């Protein structure tokens, strides 16, 4: 079936550094999402993105976070600078439409901030 | 306001036994409801979804869920679990006019011999 690819699977960085998480969504999907999973369970919505713009973001999407998808390439989540509390697994998802459509998820990128 | 509650953080059942994972939602309109499963070290996969019509929806691998508007619930069931069903299960709510799907806190299922 359709796949969402996330690169890398694990990233270790020092606090204060910048990190970019990459996502290759399903090719014909139009909506893109980042979720943050904490302690292996709680899935928290961060942001969704459509037509080059952020549609909605949560309180977890701090000013240090940004997303973009330049020229239909990777959908990226950038954190600059990183903080210890940013350590989590970040999941990218995509869908053909919003809300009532199923989401296709990547396998996640585990971010460890030291 | 929209929210999803999964009251059981962990559930342990014996292989071959029946299963029910509970989900309650809060939303004044007509909800779109999903169950996703997350196997260890993997992304989430859709088990089933409910939009309208028959309140009992069938999913993959023998799972089904029943929508109840009066109880604001969408419980997941399986008649006979297998050890490979051990995973984390998420109940998810989407509003009719919403822009993103809201996840419950998840229920970790452990199937024991």
């Amino acid at each position: 079936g359709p796949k969402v690819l996330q690169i890398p699977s694990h990233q270790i960085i020092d606090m204060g550094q910048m990190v970019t998480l990459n996502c290759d969504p399903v090719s014909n999907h139009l909506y893109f999402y980042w979720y943050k999973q904490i302690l292996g369970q709680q899935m928290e919505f961060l942001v969704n993105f459509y037509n080059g713009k952020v549609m909605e973001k949560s309180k977890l999407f701090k000013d240090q976070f940004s997303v973009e998808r330049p020229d239909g390439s990777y959908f990226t989540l950038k954190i600059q600078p990183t903080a210890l509390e940013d350590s989590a697994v970040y999941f990218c998802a995509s869908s053909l439409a919003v809300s009532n459509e199923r989401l296709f998820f990547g396998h996640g990128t585990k971010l460890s901030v030291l | 306001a929209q929210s999803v509650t999964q009251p059981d953080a962990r559930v342990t059942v014996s292989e071959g036994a029946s299963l029910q994972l509970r989900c309650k939602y809060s939303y004044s309109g007509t909800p779109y409801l999903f169950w996703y499963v997350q196997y260890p070290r993997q992304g989430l996969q859709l088990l089933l979804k409910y939009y309208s019509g028959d309140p009992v929806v069938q999913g993959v691998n023998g799972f089904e869920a029943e929508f109840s508007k009066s109880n604001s619930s969408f419980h997941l069931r399986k008649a006979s679990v297998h050890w490979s069903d051990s995973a984390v299960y998420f109940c998810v709510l989407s509003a009719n006019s919403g822009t993103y799907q809201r996840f419950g806190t998840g229920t970790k299922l452990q199937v024991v011999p």
Side-chain angles (χ1 to χ4, degrees):
Chain A
K3 291 189 184 298
V4 174
L5 301 177
Q6 288 189 244
I7 304 165
S9 58
H10 193 185
Q11 181 113 21
I12 303 172
I13 59 170
D14 291 323
M15 182 177 64
Q17 281 190 316
M18 181 194 75
V19 68
T20 300
L21 307 184
N22 296 300
C23 171
D24 188 11
V26 177
S27 60
N28 63 334
H29 284 185
L30 302 175
Y31 297 84
F32 313 109
Y33 312 77
W34 284 102
Y35 282 82
K36 179 180 182 180
Q37 187 170 40
I38 305 160
L39 297 177
Q41 193 141 329
Q42 182 67 48
M43 287 285 285
E44 298 283 2
F45 169 78
L46 286 177
V47 65
N48 60 0
F49 190 84
Y50 168 72
N51 198 25
K53 299 176 185 175
V54 170
M55 294 177 62
E56 195 167 5
K57 58 185 180 181
S58 72
K59 294 177 183 177
L60 294 179
F61 195 79
K62 305 177 294 184
D63 291 342
Q64 298 89 330
F65 287 42
S66 63
V67 290
E68 63 176 358
R69 191 183 187 217
D71 299 324
S73 60
Y74 284 153
F75 175 50
T76 63
L77 173 66
K78 182 186 293 185
I79 309 174
Q80 181 178 28
T82 51
L84 294 176
E85 61 265 27
D86 296 330
S87 295
V89 180
Y90 291 83
F91 286 92
C92 174
S94 68
S95 67
L96 200 52
V98 293
S99 80
N100 59 347
E101 287 289 328
R102 63 172 292 185
L103 299 180
F104 288 81
F105 284 87
H107 283 202
T109 293
K110 183 176 181 179
L111 178 63
S112 298
V113 181
L114 307 179
Chain B
Q2 304 159 30
S3 66
V4 184
T5 302
Q6 293 180 248
D8 305 308
R10 288 176 172 268
V11 170
T12 301
V13 296
S14 299
E15 192 165 16
S18 62
L19 169 72
Q20 176 170 281
L21 301 183
R22 296 184 292 165
C23 172
K24 299 273 284 183
Y25 69 91
S26 175
Y27 177 55
S28 57
T30 301
Y32 295 91
L33 293 160
F34 307 79
W35 276 98
Y36 287 85
V37 60
Q38 183 180 25
Y39 297 105
R41 295 173 297 280
Q42 293 190 29
L44 285 78
Q45 302 169 33
L46 181 70
L47 276 180
L48 47 80
K49 60 186 178 184
Y50 172 80
Y51 294 163
S52 64
D54 189 338
V56 178
V57 290
Q58 303 297 320
V60 298
N61 297 334
F63 285 94
E64 67 175 28
E66 184 167 6
F67 170 71
S68 171
K69 187 172 183 177
S70 60
N71 293 325
S72 298
S73 67
F74 189 56
H75 301 329
L76 182 71
R77 302 189 297 237
K78 187 171 184 178
S80 175
V81 296
H82 186 263
W83 65 267
S84 59
D85 293 324
S86 296
V88 180
Y89 292 79
F90 292 95
C91 182
V92 179
L93 165 72
S94 180
N96 193 12
S97 58
T99 57
Y100 71 90
Q101 297 180 8
R102 287 163 173 79
F103 279 70
T105 49
T107 297
K108 187 170 185 176
L109 173 67
Q110 186 176 14
V111 180
V112 298

